[in-house]
Structures are given as structure tokens and as C-alpha cells.
Amino acid sequence: LVVEVVKVDKVVTGGKVVTGDKAQGETPVADVEISLDLGQGRQRSVRTAKEGRVELELPAGVERFTLAATYSGLRYHSEPITPSADRGLRARVTVFDRVTEPSALRVDVGSRLLAWIGEGRVGFRQVLNLVNTSHQLYDPGPDGLALPVPEGVLAIDVPQKDTRFLRVVGHGAVKLVSPLPPGPLALEYRYDLPYDGGTLDFRQPTPLAMARTQLVFVNSNQVRLDEAAHYSREEKTMGGNRVVIFKLHEVATGGVLSFRIAGLPHRDQRALYAAFSLSAALLLWGVFTAFRRSPVDRARRERERLTEALVALERARQAGEIDSEQGYQHQRDELHQRLRAVWRGPFDR
């Protein structure tokens, strides 16, 4: 078994080449501890020589093993390896120096705020296209790096796929807690903001520079933003849903993403939006997918029919046409369940 350890000195990100000391972009690393787990409690530890490699014989009878390289305080683990009976193996481990300055990160183009209207609240799914612009591994440290969250959030939720990198702290903060390799990584979290009186002031301090972000409202073409906050507004159909897309201005490091949303439903209109809020949230997965692949919405007719039935149910309840609260809840739960079946996606839990 031959193990080679190299350090990255060059990375291509955002169309630009960031170069370290070596033109070829990689440097052999000496004196790196290589740990082998050979199974059945057998362990072995060796170190790389000055040329960044080490050669060793595997004991007889090893069917599968894993290796790990420890460099700059971090362990790089391999997947299980099956040795060959008639030929040797060569393993290559790529490691990174570490950088701790947040200036190595930026929120790049492609970041989005996907929004829908609920009863007295606006729900947001924030997708950050987070880019480590250096050729080093960004380390947020033991305290983590606070990511942009607007003031006054009701709750924050991180989807399962991103819990390796993100952690909710208290009721109003989300932090990056895992090292990031060079290049881009899309991370996501969700939250609600309350509003009253038809307007919502969105104010989100950010420790990172943010490129132009898109604010996308689903089936809410009556919403408006103050002119100074965005440079374009577009209405279109995506994934079978009508959306409004605002392109927001970029924000400098330490700045604030700030805008006022107007045109939100007043109290006397909220019954309809309460009925519609669940379906809007479920439609959001279709819109999110449409941004990447623009799929054909094969279930549009069923979605429209169920949504209309849900709105009609709320109207009938307001008009006193439903005799029993239990009957109302039964019908509502059944419609919600069918809507979930129509719009279920990989982000639903």
C-alpha cells in the first residue's frame, strides 16, 4: 500500500484561479500521521516521509480497511477500501491549510430568498450559495460563524441535509459549525417573520459580502418592494406556479440586506391566505426545482382543485355553513394530507 499526501495550493473558483506557492497547485506534505483501521480491532499508524508518501505492507487476511490522515489538527477519513489479492494499492489524500478569517467567504450569485404568505406571517426559505474563495480550508472555530438571519424571526429550521454544516443557536441565530473546503456550497435554512397591517420590514445584517440575491414570492403577485431595495421585478410561471422575482442589490461585508414588503393581505383577507399558506409552502419545492431544471408540473390540475377546495372550505366556515368544528377539522386535515402527497419533495420531513 502506497499512501501519498498532497496539499492544495491552487483552486479554480468563480472562473478565477487562485494560486499558492507551487504552479502545479499541489505540494507533497511530510510528517503526516496515517492511521489504518484494519478491522477486528487491528490498528496501525505511520508517517509520511519528506516526499509526502509512505509505503507499507498490509497484514495477511485483511478484507477491508479504512485510512485517515491527520493534518493541521483535522482528520481526513477514507471510505472503506477492499485490497486486491494480485496487485498493490495507491491511496492519495488531499489536505488543506486552514484559514479562519471570514473574509475568505462570500455569498455568491445564485443565492435566493423563496417566500410565501401565511396568516400574519411570511415564511422564507433562504438558500445561500456560500463560496470559500481561498485555496485553504475555512475553519469557523469552536464558536462557529453566524450567518445572515433577519431580525425578529419566529423560528429557524435547518433541513436534515445541511445539519452537518449548520446549527440553530437559540431562537434567532444559525451558525456555520463545520469547515468548508475551497469552492462553492449551497446551504439552506428556513424561518418565519410576523407582520401586521399589510407591510413587513425585512432587515438582515450580514457578516459576509452578499452578491445580488433573488427574492421570489410564490403565487403572490400583489406584493411590492420599495424601489431603492431592488433593481428589477419580473413575473413568470415556473414549475406551473406564478412567481414574482425581485433582484436585490448586493450588500457589502458588515452591511444590512434591508427592504419593505408591501401589498400583504390585511386581517380581513387572512382567512383565504391561511387556507393557502400550506399549499404555498408545498408549492415552494416545485419552484425551487424549477430554478434548476424547469420541470413540467404534471400534478397542476390536482393541485389547483385541492387548493380551491381548501379555500372554499374556509369560506364556508366563515359564513357559518359548517355545522361542526370536528367536521371542519376532518375535511381540512384530509385536504392537507392530499396536498402533501401531491407536492412532497426531498426537503419535506
Side-chain angles (χ1 to χ4, degrees), residues 55-283:
E55 190 170 335
L56 64 154
E57 292 288 335
L58 290 175
V62 174
E63 297 181 354
R64 299 185 83 190
F65 69 95
T66 60
L67 66 84
T70 302
Y71 176 75
S72 189
L74 294 176
R75 286 174 65 86
Y76 297 78
H77 295 268
S78 76
E79 296 292 331
I81 301 170
T82 302
S84 173
D86 56 353
R87 57 189 176 89
L89 287 172
R90 182 182 297 272
R92 183 180 178 87
V93 183
T94 302
V95 299
F96 301 89
D97 282 332
R98 286 195 284 179
V99 60
T100 59
E101 290 299 322
S103 58
L105 305 182
R106 72 165 184 262
V107 180
D108 212 350
V109 174
S111 299
R112 297 179 292 280
L113 276 167
L114 308 177
W116 67 97
I117 301 172
E119 185 174 9
R121 64 181 177 83
V122 177
F124 293 90
R125 181 193 297 257
Q126 182 147 9
V127 182
L128 294 182
N129 184 21
L130 195 60
V131 179
N132 178 357
T133 62
S134 74
H135 63 274
Q136 299 172 311
L137 190 75
Y138 173 74
D139 184 0
D143 296 329
L145 173 69
L147 294 179
V149 173
E151 299 169 352
V153 294
L154 296 176
I156 306 176
D157 178 54
V158 174
Q160 184 64 37
K161 71 179 184 67
D162 287 340
T163 53
R164 171 187 169 190
F165 295 97
L166 303 180
R167 179 181 303 156
V168 177
V169 180
H171 296 288
V174 60
K175 288 188 174 183
L176 177 70
V177 294
S178 179
L180 288 184
L185 179 67
L187 296 173
E188 174 190 340
Y189 43 97
R190 314 167 197 158
Y191 47 82
D192 292 342
L193 285 174
Y195 78 89
D196 196 16
T199 61
L200 169 63
D201 289 319
F202 184 103
R203 179 179 169 81
Q204 185 180 72
T206 172
L208 306 175
M210 296 182 69
R212 293 175 174 179
T213 299
Q214 292 186 349
L215 171 62
V216 183
F217 268 92
V218 182
N219 290 332
S220 305
N221 58 4
Q222 79 286 353
V223 295
R224 305 183 305 277
L225 257 63
D226 46 305
E227 292 294 330
H230 68 285
Y231 64 92
S232 74
R233 180 185 189 277
E234 179 184 9
E235 293 188 29
K236 62 193 303 184
T237 299
M238 303 185 71
N241 310 303
R242 195 66 181 168
V243 300
V244 181
I245 303 173
F246 297 93
K247 294 184 179 180
L248 309 177
H249 295 295
E250 59 188 20
V251 181
T253 302
V256 178
L257 179 63
S258 178
F259 50 85
R260 168 168 285 189
I261 304 172
L264 298 173
H266 290 270
R267 188 173 300 277
D268 57 349
Q269 298 173 294
R270 286 183 186 167
L272 299 183
Y273 279 88
F276 197 69
S277 61
L278 174 66
S279 57
L282 295 169
L283 296 181

Side-chain angles (χ1 to χ4, degrees), residues 36-44 61-66:
L36 299 176
D37 184 348
L38 304 171
Q40 300 178 345
R42 292 174 294 177
Q43 307 282 334
R44 187 169 179 184
V62 174
E63 297 181 354
R64 299 185 83 190
F65 69 95
T66 60

